[in-house]
Amino acid sequence: KIQIHVSRKEPMIINNRKLKERKNGDVEDDYLMSGEIGYTTTKYVSFYDEAPHDIIGIHEFQSVGVSRLQVLKQIEFIYNSSSENQDNTNKEINLLTKQHKFNTEGNYDDSNKQFLMKFKRHELNEAIKNDNISHFICRLAYCRTEELRKWFVTQETRLFYYRLQSLEPDKILDILRKKCGMNYEQLKEDDQIWVNHADDIRFLRKFRSTKPVKQATLASDFIKVPFKDAISLVQNRQVFLSRGFAYVYISDLNSIARAQFRAKLSAQLNKAYKFIGTIFKDERLSSMLLAMSNHNTIDFNIQ
C-alpha cells in the first residue's frame, strides 16, 4: 500500500519522520545494500513482491510514475524498431535507466558485453527506491483493462529480462529458489542421466544456443528442471528431455526467471484490479492514474 502525503510546502519529501530517525540511527534504511562503506558492487533485480510503504508527495507520485512510463515506452520502441542485436538493446536500455535514475543493474560496457559498476551506495539506494515505487504506481494505472495489463506486463518483463543479464547464473538460481520456491538441483558427475547422456546434453546446448559455450562443459553446468518450468526452452529445442525433466544449461535460467516474473506480475495485476474501485474514489489519484494510462497525454520524447 502506497501512502501519499500531500504537502504544499514540501511535496517532494519522502517520509520525513523516518529520514530523521535514520540519521539518528533508530531504524535501518529500507533500501540499504550490503558492501564496503560508501560503496557497493551489488546489482539489484526485483520481482516486486513487496509493496513500498514510503510516504510520498502527490507531485512526486505523478513525476516518478510518468518517468517509468517513459522508460517502458522507450523499451517498446527499441524492441519494435531494432534488430535482434541484444548488445545494442542492452546499451540503449542501460542509458534509459541511468537517465531516469532507475539504474540498479550497473553500467553496460559495450566493448566487453558486461555490466560493470561500483555503485555509490546512496545512488543505488535512490535507484532502488525510485524503481520500486514507480513500478507499483504504474500497476495501479495499468490494472484496469486487459489491454493495459498486457502492455504493462510485456514492457516490464522486457526490463526484467534485460536486468537479469547483469547477474551471474548462480545468482539467478538463488533468486528462483528464494522468490519462486524452485529448488532446482545441479547435476553431478555420477548422476545416471549424466553418465548415460552427457554427450547428448552437451550437443543440444552447443548447437541450439545463440550464446557461446565453454568447451569443457561440466555436469554442474546443467540444472534439472521440471518440464513445465522450461516450456520456452523446450520449444526452441535448447534442452535435453528425459522422464518429465528438462536439463537446462545454467546460463539459460534467465528464460525461466522471465517466465516466472511474467506469470507473477499478471496475477498481481488481476488482483489489483479487484481493488481499483476503492483507489479511484480519490479524485486526485483517479485523474492522475487515468492520465498515466492514456499514452496520448504523456510526452515520451521518442526520436
Side-chain angles (χ1 to χ4, degrees):
K1 181 179 178 181
I2 299 175
Q3 302 178 56
I4 302 169
H5 170 63
V6 181
S7 168
R8 294 182 181 275
K9 294 182 179 179
E10 297 179 310
M12 302 299 286
I13 294 297
I14 298 179
N15 206 337
N16 198 37
R17 176 186 58 80
K18 289 179 72 176
L19 290 176
K20 290 179 180 178
E21 289 177 350
R22 286 171 186 163
K23 287 181 180 179
N24 295 331
D26 296 332
V27 296
E28 293 183 359
D29 194 320
D30 296 335
Y31 304 101
L32 196 62
M33 306 297 292
S34 60
E36 61 181 280
I37 297 175
Y39 291 89
T40 176
T41 55
T42 302
K43 297 183 179 72
Y44 182 87
V45 177
S46 178
F47 263 83
Y48 306 107
D49 48 4
E50 183 177 345
H53 48 78
D54 297 82
I55 300 174
I56 69 172
I58 195 76
H59 298 297
E60 184 174 10
F61 181 95
Q62 182 178 35
S63 175
V64 74
V66 169
S67 187
R68 188 179 193 89
L69 289 177
Q70 290 173 330
V71 170
L72 297 180
K73 190 64 178 178
Q74 289 277 12
I75 288 174
E76 179 186 40
F77 178 77
I78 290 168
Y79 270 82
N80 290 343
S81 62
S82 65
S83 64
E84 296 294 321
N85 191 322
Q86 188 63 51
D87 293 325
N88 287 340
T89 299
N90 289 345
K91 182 179 179 180
E92 291 185 54
I93 298 177
N94 192 238
L95 288 173
L96 276 175
T97 60
K98 286 190 289 186
Q99 289 169 358
H100 290 267
K101 297 183 179 180
F102 295 145
N103 183 279
T104 65
E105 67 277 4
N107 185 50
Y108 185 69
D109 184 352
D110 189 39
S111 60
N112 294 318
K113 316 303 180 190
Q114 293 180 329
F115 289 84
L116 303 169
M117 180 175 281
K118 186 176 182 180
F119 288 101
K120 289 183 179 179
R121 189 177 299 183
H122 75 277
E123 291 179 351
L124 179 58
N125 290 344
E126 181 184 11
I128 293 171
K129 179 196 70 181
N130 289 341
D131 180 61
N132 198 44
I133 291 176
S134 64
H135 170 85
F136 279 91
I137 289 173
C138 291
R139 273 195 196 184
L140 296 178
Y142 280 76
C143 70
R144 293 187 300 109
T145 69
E146 181 64 29
E147 183 180 1
L148 291 175
R149 290 193 291 270
K150 182 178 179 180
W151 183 88
F152 183 66
V153 168
T154 298
Q155 311 318 322
E156 284 285 343
T157 302
R158 286 169 170 171
L159 177 59
F160 178 79
Y161 185 69
Y162 147 78
R163 283 175 166 164
L164 282 177
Q165 295 173 71
S166 71
L167 301 180
E168 294 297 323
D170 61 325
K171 296 295 183 182
I172 297 176
L173 183 60
D174 189 51
I175 286 175
L176 287 170
R177 286 169 176 162
K178 291 180 179 178
K179 299 296 184 180
C180 305
M182 296 179 164
N183 296 311
Y184 298 147
E185 298 178 1
Q186 290 176 264
L187 288 184
K188 300 180 179 65
E189 294 292 334
D190 58 355
D191 284 341
Q192 199 61 42
I193 188 72
W194 184 256
V195 172
N196 295 336
H197 298 285
D199 289 341
D200 296 326
I201 296 172
R202 289 190 182 112
F203 177 87
L204 279 175
R205 170 57 196 160
K206 181 177 180 180
F207 289 98
R208 295 295 183 184
S209 178
T210 59
K211 299 177 181 179
V213 181
K214 296 183 299 182
Q215 291 212 340
T217 309
L218 306 176
S220 58
D221 291 327
F222 292 89
I223 312 296
K224 181 180 179 181
V225 175
F227 171 87
K228 62 181 178 62
D229 292 346
I231 294 298
S232 64
L233 296 173
V234 172
Q235 290 174 338
N236 292 328
R237 299 181 180 181
Q238 289 179 239
V239 294
F240 180 80
L241 298 175
S242 178
R243 298 184 179 182
F245 288 94
Y247 293 87
V248 178
Y249 190 66
I250 193 168
S251 292
D252 287 332
L253 286 175
N254 52 9
S255 294
I256 295 175
R258 173 175 58 185
Q260 287 297 312
F261 177 85
R262 175 181 282 274
K264 282 178 173 288
L265 181 55
S266 295
Q268 289 161 347
L269 285 172
N270 288 328
K271 186 176 181 180
Y273 171 70
K274 297 178 181 179
F275 301 97
I276 198 67
T278 301
I279 296 168
F280 270 60
K281 288 180 180 179
D282 188 305
E283 293 184 2
R284 297 167 302 173
L285 274 182
S286 62
S287 62
M288 281 191 296
L289 294 174
L290 287 170
M292 286 182 195
S293 60
N294 182 355
H295 289 178
N296 293 325
T297 66
I298 301 174
D299 179 13
F300 291 111
N301 192 29
I302 295 177
Q303 299 178 353

